[in-house]
């Protein structure tokens, strides 16, 4: 019998890699989506995941991703971890760069969420998990090009949760309020755990997926113990 499938859109070396390792250990068939799948070669070898070249801002590309996932098994979890951003003074922002940030970070979330919802509603269960940021709640100076897609993604997640929750589909939004520990970078012994551990974040994602439906979380904020808020 084919294992249940977890799709991770916007896969890279940080949180997505931690999720892939954890979900693989937990028996999921992991499908990784990225523009450049060559960078995922080591992770694919380590986890046995399938990597699919995907542009999350393109509807046909996202459809092909989920068609590939269908061949691996029954979808159980979809994680949207892609992010579009551009920073700078509002008067100087490149309109094309802002448009691309919105296409990746917000429209991409819609496309991935839509494909996942179609499958999970048909199955009658499953989770769709969206990765947000501090910018999902606060539009900082010089960060309009990042806050816009993150605000939009949060609105998408809220709407989907209200629509799909009664259909037994768990939609959750995670606010990552702090810097994630970069892969391969040694921790500062004088400032322990000042960054978020990607492995710890991944454990929280899986715990939310496994919550009993009588006590589902919609929004989870994750921050290091030293982070002010």
């Amino acid at each position: 019998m084919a294992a249940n499938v977890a799709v991770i859109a916007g896969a890279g070396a940080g949180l997505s890699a931690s999720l892939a390792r954890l979900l693989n250990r937990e028996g999921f068939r992991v499908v990784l989506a990225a523009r450049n799948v060559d960078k995922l070669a080591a992770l694919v070898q380590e986890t046995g995941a399938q990597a699919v070249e995907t542009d999350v801002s393109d509807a046909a590309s996202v459809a092909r991703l989920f068609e590939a996932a269908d061949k691996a098994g029954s979808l159980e979890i979809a994680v949207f971890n892609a992010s579009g951003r551009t920073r700078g003074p509002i008067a100087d922002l490149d309109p094309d760069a802002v448009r691309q940030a919105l296409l990746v970070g917000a429209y991409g979330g819609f496309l991935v969420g839509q494909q996942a919802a179609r499958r999970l509603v048909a199955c009658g269960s499953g989770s769709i998990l969206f990765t947000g940021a501090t910018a999902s709640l606060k539009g900082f100076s010089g960060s309009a090009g990042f806050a816009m897609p993150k605000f939009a993604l949060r609105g998408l997640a809220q709407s989907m949760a209200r629509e799909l929750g009664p259909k037994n589909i768990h939609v959750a939004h995670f606010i990552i309020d702090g810097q994630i520990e970069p892969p391969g970078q040694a921790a500062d012994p004088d400032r322990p755990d000042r960054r978020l551990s990607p492995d710890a974040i991944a454990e929280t994602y899986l715990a939310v997926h496994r919550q009993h439906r009588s006590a589902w979380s919609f929004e989870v904020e994750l921050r290091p113990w030293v982070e002010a808020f």
Side-chain angles (χ1 to χ4, degrees), residues 95-147:
D96 288 336
V98 173
R99 179 178 179 274
Q100 185 61 28
L102 285 162
L103 284 172
V104 172
Y107 183 59
F110 159 72
L111 292 176
V112 170
Q114 181 182 60
Q115 290 288 341
R118 288 172 177 170
R119 288 157 174 82
L120 296 181
V121 168
C123 293
S125 65
S127 297
I128 304 173
L129 310 178
F130 293 98
T131 300
T134 312
S136 303
L137 301 176
K138 302 175 183 178
F140 292 101
S141 174
S143 192
F146 186 45

Side-chain angles (χ1 to χ4, degrees), residues 113-208:
Q114 181 182 60
Q115 290 288 341
R118 288 172 177 170
R119 288 157 174 82
L120 296 181
V121 168
C123 293
S125 65
S127 297
I128 304 173
L129 310 178
F130 293 98
T131 300
T134 312
S136 303
L137 301 176
K138 302 175 183 178
F140 292 101
S141 174
S143 192
F146 186 45
M148 285 191 291
K150 284 303 182 185
F151 266 67
L153 188 70
R154 186 176 186 233
L156 169 71
Q158 285 184 352
S159 182
M160 288 179 60
R162 291 185 169 102
E163 177 185 342
L164 299 177
K167 298 179 181 180
N168 200 38
I169 311 303
H170 189 179
V171 179
H173 179 252
F174 296 80
I175 296 173
I176 310 302
D177 188 16
Q179 184 180 359
I180 298 176
E181 191 75 53
Q185 187 175 107
D188 184 347
D190 297 324
R191 303 177 69 189
D193 300 325
R194 68 184 182 89
R195 297 190 181 102
L196 293 108
S197 160
D199 292 344
I201 301 172
E203 291 280 0
T204 301
Y205 276 50
L206 182 59
V208 168

